[in-house]
Amino acid sequence: MSAQMENKSGYLPDKPGGKFSRRLFLNYSGITLAGAGLLVACNDKDGNPMPQTGEINLGTGDLGILNYAYALEQLEAAFYIKVAESTVTGMSAAEMMLLADIRDHEIAHREFFKNALGTNAIPALTVDFSMVDFTKRESVLATAKAFEDLGVSAYNGAGKLIKTADYLVLAGKIVSVEARHAAFIRDLISNGSFADASVVDANGLDKSRKPAEVLSMAAPFIKNKINFSGLPQ
């Protein structure tokens, strides 16, 4: 399957020699997230975050928000790469091709943040998809739905925290793509559910989540401890 899923640029992510070296509240199809296990770092007497073994510190200010987005894009990209490498029972060839397109978008987002952050970028995350059954369409789509919905709400929540106008514009462009993904995945699960009441309120507005909530929901899929104490509130 992975050979068929080669992206339009001719690169196979996560394959040796490829250009690329290498988003959750799942209450659907038997997957439940419990015990987030997210690290909230302690501070020293001067109020500075105290380093802990194995933790990843997102940093502060706008750079911290960019690293926050980079972490989420790493997670999404890793998920869709795994999907593209899997044989998913019940998933049509057309659906797999469309999921491969989403994979390519997420890789592009990941690499954009990595390059933009440069030496300020956090390390590559170690992901854990042991709760996902990549052989079953229902499990793959349920996880994709959770990641995409969470990603949109994360960008919505982070927008007000960004101080640099150019970064805000870029975040707006990326969240619009993530919203397209979320709508598509929802319709694959149940046609016409792209904007149901669980994500869009009575005013036609999508959900917004703070970084602490987002990272708590994503934590079961990330083996690293994430220190987000320096992010703006």
Side-chain angles (χ1 to χ4, degrees):
M1 180 63 71
S2 61
Q4 296 174 345
M5 292 297 104
E6 181 167 327
N7 66 28
K8 296 178 180 61
S9 300
Y11 298 113
L12 283 172
D14 275 16
K15 296 296 183 183
K19 182 178 180 180
F20 300 112
S21 61
R22 240 236 57 124
R23 156 185 277 123
L24 301 162
F25 182 72
L26 295 183
N27 223 359
Y28 185 89
S29 72
I31 303 175
T32 303
L33 303 190
L38 182 72
L39 171 73
V40 179
C42 298
N43 292 339
D44 63 19
K45 64 181 181 179
D46 296 319
N48 300 312
M50 295 174 62
Q52 299 189 24
T53 303
E55 78 172 22
I56 290 179
N57 193 320
L58 298 180
T60 62
D62 280 358
L63 286 178
I65 295 297
L66 293 182
N67 267 319
Y68 167 55
Y70 177 41
L72 296 176
E73 297 295 352
Q74 285 192 52
L75 180 62
E76 287 188 307
F79 169 72
Y80 286 108
I81 288 169
K82 180 67 174 177
V83 171
E85 294 174 342
S86 303
T87 299
V88 186
T89 302
M91 193 83 76
S92 71
E95 289 174 338
M96 288 298 293
M97 289 301 297
L98 290 167
L99 291 176
D101 285 341
I102 295 179
R103 174 204 62 190
D104 295 345
H105 296 164
E106 303 298 2
I107 291 173
H109 294 168
R110 182 194 69 189
E111 295 303 297
F112 168 81
F113 282 113
K114 180 179 179 180
N115 292 328
L117 284 158
T119 58
N120 293 303
I122 59 173
L125 300 180
T126 302
V127 297
D128 180 2
F129 296 132
S130 58
M131 290 185 291
V132 184
D133 187 343
F134 286 94
T135 70
K136 290 184 170 56
R137 181 180 187 273
E138 293 80 4
S139 181
V140 167
L141 291 182
T143 310
K145 170 178 168 286
F147 282 157
E148 297 297 350
D149 286 352
L150 187 67
V152 173
S153 67
Y155 277 101
N156 287 344
K160 67 180 182 181
L161 305 177
I162 299 174
K163 302 300 182 183
T164 304
D166 288 344
Y167 294 164
L168 184 59
V169 171
L170 290 170
K173 290 181 177 180
I174 292 176
V175 72
S176 64
V177 176
E178 299 292 349
R180 292 175 188 267
H181 295 169
F184 168 68
I185 296 296
R186 282 177 160 271
D187 271 3
L188 283 183
I189 296 171
S190 179
N191 189 40
S193 65
F194 66 95
D196 66 22
S198 67
V199 289
V200 179
D201 65 21
N203 296 314
L205 300 177
D206 216 330
K207 279 191 174 180
S208 173
R209 290 188 173 99
K210 295 180 179 180
E213 183 182 4
V214 170
L215 291 170
S216 179
M217 295 170 74
F221 296 96
I222 302 172
K223 292 185 177 181
N224 312 88
K225 295 178 179 180
I226 305 294
N227 180 343
F228 62 92
S229 63
L231 296 188
Q233 302 297 319

